[in-house]
Amino acid sequence: MTNLAVSATDLSLSLGHRQLFHCEHLAIEQGAFVGLLGGNGVGKTTFLRMLLGLQKAHYHHLDVLGKPCNEGNAAVSYLPQLKAHSSRLALCADSLFQCWRPRHVSRKQWQQRIDYAIDQVNGLSLAKQAMDTLSGGEYQRLMLAQALLNEPKLLLLDEPLVGLDPNRQYRLVELISHFQQDLGVTVICSTHELNPFINHFTSVLLIHEQLLRQGKATELLTSDTLSELYHCHLHVITHHGRQHLIAHPDSDLYV
């Protein structure tokens, strides 16, 4: 099982007295780019918090990166959803990232990690600017850099495209895909913005009617499956070798 980033059997997740979903078997391979899909309130964020060890769950076994799931796994990084009115510090990223470093990492090594992470997101020109002056896309790029500081093997993303214009959405997805393909990071991404991601996901997790279902992206990202998942008419079409998701005109879902 060492080739699995996440593995679980007989997994159930609840929030208070409400059961969110059950899954008999879950196996996410290392290096995968996984889409976590489902309607509002079905448990996507809670699932990510579970993988961080911050949310209790019931299971026969639950391993993350080959170890029992526990809080404080330095090999797991998390990028929470960017809130439209979230406060931002009047610090530049370079200073913010130096506020904390692992005890076993020297100052010189930590600065090298900071420089490398910022370079990976093409953020060298942004790192000296106050975070509260940045656009949403610029801010998200630097938050991705922060998520890379611990050199993670598993990256958890919660609605990373919220509030970004289409151009910045696609650029951010290409950046995330670079981490997955070139750096070998396993990515699990919760999103409602499917079009920027649909050609990048290698596998998909669907939460629907209190069940967590797993499958290949080519098998689950279909018109019928997505229409059932979101309770509206959605069509997956292929144009010039790439897939696109289109909402039917009588649909009340904005895609």
Side-chain angles (χ1 to χ4, degrees), residues 135-188:
S135 70
E138 293 168 340
Y139 183 83
Q140 283 294 70
R141 279 162 55 194
L142 290 178
M143 289 299 94
L144 273 175
Q146 185 180 46
L148 292 177
L149 291 179
N150 279 338
E151 299 176 342
K153 296 180 180 178
L154 175 61
L155 179 60
L156 307 177
L157 307 174
D158 193 358
E159 296 287 352
L161 305 185
V162 169
L164 303 185
D165 64 45
N167 177 50
R168 287 175 172 80
Q169 286 185 353
Y170 281 91
R171 287 190 176 189
L172 192 65
V173 171
E174 291 293 338
L175 187 59
I176 296 167
S177 180
H178 160 67
F179 299 151
Q180 178 253 334
Q181 293 184 0
D182 299 336
L183 303 183
V185 180
T186 305
V187 177
I188 302 178

Side-chain angles (χ1 to χ4, degrees), residues 16-250:
H17 297 290
R18 180 169 67 96
Q19 178 170 311
L20 296 173
F21 62 79
H22 175 78
C23 178
E24 292 186 3
H25 179 70
L26 178 64
I28 298 175
E29 295 184 358
Q30 291 184 6
F33 196 158
V34 184
L36 176 60
L37 309 182
N40 293 326
V42 298
K44 299 187 297 297
T45 297
T46 308
F47 175 78
L48 297 178
R49 287 176 50 82
M50 178 197 73
L51 296 180
L52 290 166
L54 301 176
Q55 177 69 42
K56 291 184 178 180
H58 298 283
Y59 48 81
H60 178 69
H61 99 271
L62 173 59
D63 288 351
V64 176
L65 299 173
K67 300 178 180 179
C69 182
N70 288 304
E71 183 179 354
N73 189 335
V76 182
S77 285
Y78 175 55
L79 181 64
Q81 181 174 335
L82 175 65
K83 304 298 183 181
H85 303 290
S86 63
S87 61
R88 303 180 190 177
L89 297 174
L91 281 175
C92 67
D94 192 56
S95 297
L96 177 63
F97 296 170
Q98 294 183 52
C99 291
W100 175 89
R101 64 179 170 85
R103 293 181 180 179
H104 68 280
V105 179
S106 70
R107 291 184 183 276
K108 181 179 179 180
Q109 290 173 324
W110 190 243
Q111 186 60 57
Q112 289 174 340
R113 286 197 191 183
I114 292 174
D115 294 341
Y116 174 78
I118 292 175
D119 181 58
Q120 286 296 305
V121 302
N122 299 316
L124 295 178
S125 64
L126 307 173
K128 302 298 184 182
Q129 299 181 37
M131 299 288 283
D132 59 0
T133 66
L134 301 176
S135 70
E138 293 168 340
Y139 183 83
Q140 283 294 70
R141 279 162 55 194
L142 290 178
M143 289 299 94
L144 273 175
Q146 185 180 46
L148 292 177
L149 291 179
N150 279 338
E151 299 176 342
K153 296 180 180 178
L154 175 61
L155 179 60
L156 307 177
L157 307 174
D158 193 358
E159 296 287 352
L161 305 185
V162 169
L164 303 185
D165 64 45
N167 177 50
R168 287 175 172 80
Q169 286 185 353
Y170 281 91
R171 287 190 176 189
L172 192 65
V173 171
E174 291 293 338
L175 187 59
I176 296 167
S177 180
H178 160 67
F179 299 151
Q180 178 253 334
Q181 293 184 0
D182 299 336
L183 303 183
V185 180
T186 305
V187 177
I188 302 178
C189 178
S190 165
T191 186
H192 288 298
E193 303 285 348
L194 287 179
N195 272 319
F197 282 110
I198 196 169
N199 294 288
H200 294 277
F201 289 146
T202 59
S203 61
V204 175
L205 300 176
L206 301 181
I207 303 178
H208 183 55
E209 296 182 347
Q210 297 185 327
L211 290 175
L212 176 64
R213 180 182 173 193
Q214 180 182 12
K216 295 180 180 180
T218 53
E219 297 172 349
L220 294 184
L221 294 178
T222 65
S223 300
D224 289 343
T225 300
L226 293 176
S227 295
E228 180 182 358
L229 183 70
Y230 292 111
H231 304 289
C232 66
H233 298 297
L234 297 172
H235 301 282
V236 178
I237 65 171
T238 301
H239 181 65
H240 292 308
R242 295 179 63 85
Q243 289 186 307
H244 304 271
L245 185 64
I246 298 177
H248 194 275
D250 66 4

